[in-house]
Amino acid sequence: MKPIVYPVLILLLSLMACDNKKAAEAAGKSYKTPLQKLTSDVMTPEVLWSFGRIGNVSLSPDQSRLVYTVTYFNKEEDRSYSDIYVMDLSNNQSVQITNTAVNESEVKWTPDGQKITYIANGQLWEMNPDGTSPRQITDIENGINGYVYAPDMSKIVFCKDVRLEPTVEDLHPDLPKAKARIINDQFYRHWNDWVEAYTHLFIADYTPGKTITGGKDIMEGEKWESPVRPWGGTEQLAWTKDGKKLIYTCRKKYGIEYALSTNTDLYSYDTENGETRNLTEGMMGYDNNPVISPDGKRMAWESMERDGYEADKNRLFVMNLETGEKKEYTKNFDQSVGQLAWGNDNNTLWFISDRHATDEIYALTLNDGKIRKLTEGIHNYTAVFPTDNALIATKVSMSKPEEIYKVSLQDGRDEEISFVNKPLLDQLTMGKVEKRWVKTTDNKNMLVWMIYPPHFDPAKKYPAILYCEGGPQSTVSQFWSYRWNFQQMAANGYIIVAPNRRGLPGFGQEWLEQISGDYSGQNIKDYLSAIDDAKKEPYIDENRLGCVGASYGGYSVYYLAGHHNKRFKAFIAHCGIFDLESQYCETEEMWFANWDMGGAPWDKNNKTAQRTFANSPHKFVGNWDTPILVIHGQKDYRIDVSQGMSAFNAARMRGIPAQYLYFPEECHWVTGCQDGILWQRTFKAWLDKWLK
C-alpha cells in the first residue's frame, strides 16, 4: 500500500518554514494565514473559522481527475481566499494550481476535458489543467455570475444581472442626491438583497481564443430571473446533448403573483429558431435542476406537486426528450430526492435523500423502477459524481467539515481522498455524537441527537442546551455549520440535545407536514419531550438548562420563553419571529407565510390562521421570567430586524436580564469571519453567565 500524502498539509508546513507574510507581500498577494499549531485539543471559534471549506467539485469528462476549490478565511483581514485544486483519481493526489489574492469560483471542465474554467473578478477564465496559461474568456460589462458550455462547445450560456426597473435618478435626474426607492409592487426585497435587477440568460457563440463581449438575452424584457433566487445556480440549467436547446428553470411571474407562488417550470429555448417552450406546464410546484442522460435521450429533474408549498416532497421525474412523455419514479418512496446524477449506463440515476436524520446515497434503475439505498452511517452526503468504478462524493458530519470520498458501488463503503482538514482535525478531540429515540406526548418515536463535550465524564454533571431547528422544515441531520456548530457548542462544556421534532424531513411526509398551521402545537411538545427525557440522565444538571435557536427556532425560543414552566435558565434567539402579525406583512415569500401560518391575520373566518396568530410569542411576554440573548442582522429581509429589537425591548421593559447582539452588515446568516467569531464568543459568554 502506498503511503498517503496530504498535499494541503505539505503546502502548509512548507509555508511555515518561511516568513509567510513577507513572501506573500513580495509576490504582490494578500497574506494568507497558515495553519497554526493548536495549544489545546478543544475547538475554539478561531479554530472553527480556520477550517478549509471545499467549494464546488467537478469531475473531468474522462473521469480521471477532479477540480475543486478550497476557501480559507483570514481573521485579521476579515475576508476569504479561494484557490483551485486538481486531484488525480488514479492516486488521489491533489495539486494546488492557483494562489492568488482573487477568489476563484464556479470551477468546471470544458466538455472536451482540455481546460479548467472558472470565474474570477466577475469574468470567465480558462486555463490548462496544470494551472498554466490562464486566459480571460469573457469581457462582459458588470460581469457574469454563472456559465455553462454547450456539450459540443459551439456556444456558451452565461448569467448576467439586468436592471429593468427605473431608479429614482432615472425618473428625476435633477435629484441626484436623493437616496430613495419608489416601489409599486411586492417582492422588492428577498432574503438579504433588494430586488433591483433580474438575472437573465445570455447565449453567445464560443470560439477558442476569441473573447466573448456580448450575447443574446433569451429573456429580454422579462421581469423574472433564471436561475431562480435565492438558492439557484447553474444546476438549474442544462444543454441538450446536441447543443441546440438550453433547458432552464424559471418562475415566470412578477410582483405579488411571484410572492404568492412556488410554481417554477422548466423551459426549453431553441437556439436555431429562438422559440421557448414550457416543458412542465400544468405541474404546479417547484420544477428544477434538470440533468440530461449521457445518451441525450432523457431528462431527469426534481419536482414538487403543490403550488405554494416550498417543503413539499421532492419527486423524481424523467422525460423522454423525443416524445415529451413524463414519468414519476418516487410515488411509493416517502422521501425527497436531490442532487440527481446519471450513471454512464443511461439506466441508473443516483441521488441523495434524508432518512432518519442522515443524508444517504440511493440508486434508481429505470428498467425496473427499483430504488436501493447504497450507504449507511452517521453522516450527510452532499453531492455524488458517478464513475465506471466508484462514486465520487462529498460528505460532512456533525464532527467533520466537508471532504471528498470514493464510495464503493458494491457495498457503499467510502474512503476519504481529499484530507483538506486533516492537519487541524488530528489536533482536536471531538465530542461523542449519538442517536436517542424518545417517546413523544402522542406516543410517537422521535430521534434526538445527543452531542457530548470532549473528554466527557459521566460521573460529572453538565449543563445542557436544547437546540431548536429553523425552517421550520429544515433538517436536523448530520450537518456541519459555522454558526450552529454542535461540536463548538459542546466544546464550550455543554451537552447538546437536538431533536428531530415534528415538521422535519427524513421521517415521512406526514411527520414533516404536521407543523404547517400548527407552529405552537405538537412540535413544541416534542421539544419539551426531548429535554425532559435528557435531563433524567445523572450527568445532566436539570437546574442548568438553556434553549437556543434561529429563524423558526428563534420563534420556538420566544414561544418557549412564555411556556417553559421554569425548565430553562437562559435563552438565545437569533433572527427569530417574535410578532407573527407583523412578520406576515414584513416578509417577502408570501407563499411561505400563507402555507405555514394558514392565511392572513385579517381573515377572521380562517380558524387555522386565527390559531396561529393567537399563539404569537409576543402575546406571552407577560410570562417571561428568564434571561435572554437576542441576535439579529440589519440586512435580514426574511425576518425583519424589528422582530429582534421588539423582543429585546419587551424583555427589558419586563425587567428581564437581556442582551442584544446587533449586526449592521449581516443578514439571516452570519457570513463575516470576525462577525462569526464574535457571534460564537457572545453565545458562549451568555450561556456561561447563566448556566455555569
Side-chain angles (χ1 to χ4, degrees), residues 58 60 138 148 308 359 429 687:
S58 179
S60 64
T138 63
V148 183
D359 292 355
T429 299
L687 293 177

Side-chain angles (χ1 to χ4, degrees), residues 59 63 385-392 405-410:
L59 177 67
Q63 303 179 2
F385 309 91
T387 73
D388 291 333
N389 303 316
L391 299 177
I392 305 300
Y405 295 78
K406 280 185 179 177
V407 181
S408 168
L409 293 169
Q410 285 70 46

Side-chain angles (χ1 to χ4, degrees), residues 586-613:
E586 290 169 349
T587 196
E588 8 77 295
E589 293 180 353
M590 293 311 303
W591 67 77
F592 173 86
N594 283 334
W595 193 284
D596 267 42
M597 299 179 191
W602 50 80
D603 186 355
K604 299 302 181 182
N605 294 321
N606 185 328
K607 292 182 179 180
T608 299
Q610 293 310 308
R611 182 178 69 241
T612 295
F613 295 109

Side-chain angles (χ1 to χ4, degrees), residues 346-466:
N346 295 292
N347 182 55
T348 306
L349 272 164
W350 298 94
F351 63 88
I352 293 171
S353 182
D354 185 340
R355 175 63 176 167
H356 285 180
T358 66
D359 292 355
E360 306 293 349
I361 298 175
Y362 290 75
L364 162 69
T365 47
L366 298 183
N367 58 357
D368 58 14
K370 292 183 178 179
I371 294 174
R372 69 181 178 98
K373 185 180 183 182
L374 178 66
T375 60
E376 184 71 44
I378 306 299
H379 53 228
N380 276 4
Y381 285 99
T382 54
V384 59
F385 309 91
T387 73
D388 291 333
N389 303 316
L391 299 177
I392 305 300
T394 50
K395 186 181 80 169
V396 300
S397 73
M398 290 180 183
S399 304
K400 190 175 183 178
E402 188 171 68
E403 296 282 358
I404 305 172
Y405 295 78
K406 280 185 179 177
V407 181
S408 168
L409 293 169
Q410 285 70 46
D411 58 18
R413 294 183 183 179
D414 62 32
E415 168 196 3
E416 185 178 348
I417 58 176
S418 57
F419 301 103
V420 168
N421 290 299
K422 182 174 173 55
L424 273 182
L425 292 169
D426 281 351
Q427 300 180 68
L428 293 170
T429 299
M430 296 292 185
K432 180 179 68 172
V433 177
E434 69 176 19
K435 286 183 177 181
R436 184 187 193 99
W437 289 93
V438 173
K439 283 290 184 183
T440 62
T441 57
D442 58 347
N443 205 37
K444 305 287 187 182
N445 292 317
M446 175 175 60
L447 189 151
V448 179
W449 293 111
M450 301 283 287
I451 304 94
Y452 297 87
H455 311 295
F456 171 71
D457 182 353
K460 296 180 180 179
K461 277 193 174 291
Y462 294 84
I465 303 170
L466 173 67

Side-chain angles (χ1 to χ4, degrees), residues 58-68 86-94 109 112-114 116 129 344 385-390 392 406 417:
S58 179
L59 177 67
S60 64
D62 65 1
Q63 303 179 2
S64 67
R65 290 171 293 183
L66 295 176
V67 62
Y68 58 98
V86 173
M87 181 187 294
D88 184 338
L89 291 176
S90 68
N91 56 22
N92 301 337
Q93 300 304 303
S94 289
W109 297 88
D112 62 6
Q114 298 302 304
I116 287 171
N344 294 327
F385 309 91
T387 73
D388 291 333
N389 303 316
I392 305 300
K406 280 185 179 177
I417 58 176

Side-chain angles (χ1 to χ4, degrees), residues 309-313 336 354 357 440 442 444-447 468-477 499-527 552-553 556 592 595-596:
Y309 186 25
E310 68 173 15
D312 204 356
K313 174 184 170 181
S336 283
D354 185 340
T440 62
D442 58 347
K444 305 287 187 182
N445 292 317
M446 175 175 60
L447 189 151
C468 301
E469 177 61 37
Q473 289 159 311
S474 300
T475 180
V476 183
S477 55
N500 279 270
R501 45 99 178 137
R502 230 58 59 97
L504 296 188
F507 302 88
Q509 203 66 15
E510 181 181 352
W511 185 275
L512 176 74
E513 294 190 13
Q514 192 282 329
I515 196 171
S516 297
D518 191 34
Y519 271 20
S520 60
Q522 184 59 50
N523 74 103
I524 296 292
K525 297 176 184 177
D526 290 348
Y527 283 137
Y552 173 79
S556 303
F592 173 86
W595 193 284
D596 267 42

Side-chain angles (χ1 to χ4, degrees), residues 77-183:
E77 296 178 0
D78 196 28
R79 61 154 291 184
S80 63
Y81 291 93
S82 297
D83 287 304
I84 300 175
Y85 295 74
V86 173
M87 181 187 294
D88 184 338
L89 291 176
S90 68
N91 56 22
N92 301 337
Q93 300 304 303
S94 289
V95 177
Q96 181 178 344
I97 63 170
T98 64
N99 184 15
T100 70
V102 176
N103 283 347
E104 291 91 19
S105 64
E106 290 275 322
V107 293
K108 301 173 188 177
W109 297 88
T110 52
D112 62 6
Q114 298 302 304
K115 301 284 186 180
I116 287 171
T117 62
Y118 58 97
I119 290 178
N121 283 330
Q123 301 294 344
L124 174 63
W125 292 68
E126 288 180 352
M127 64 182 168
N128 293 328
D130 62 0
T132 61
S133 302
R135 189 180 77 83
Q136 185 174 327
I137 301 302
T138 63
D139 186 10
I140 304 297
E141 185 180 4
N142 298 323
I144 69 172
N145 49 41
Y147 66 96
V148 183
Y149 283 68
D152 63 359
M153 296 183 61
S154 64
K155 299 177 184 65
I156 186 171
V157 59
F158 60 86
C159 311
K160 172 181 164 58
D161 289 346
V162 177
R163 186 181 290 272
L164 296 175
E165 304 288 355
T167 66
V168 167
E169 188 173 357
D170 294 330
L171 298 171
H172 303 277
D174 62 323
L175 303 176
K177 294 184 179 181
K179 305 299 181 185
R181 291 179 174 89
I182 297 176
I183 297 164

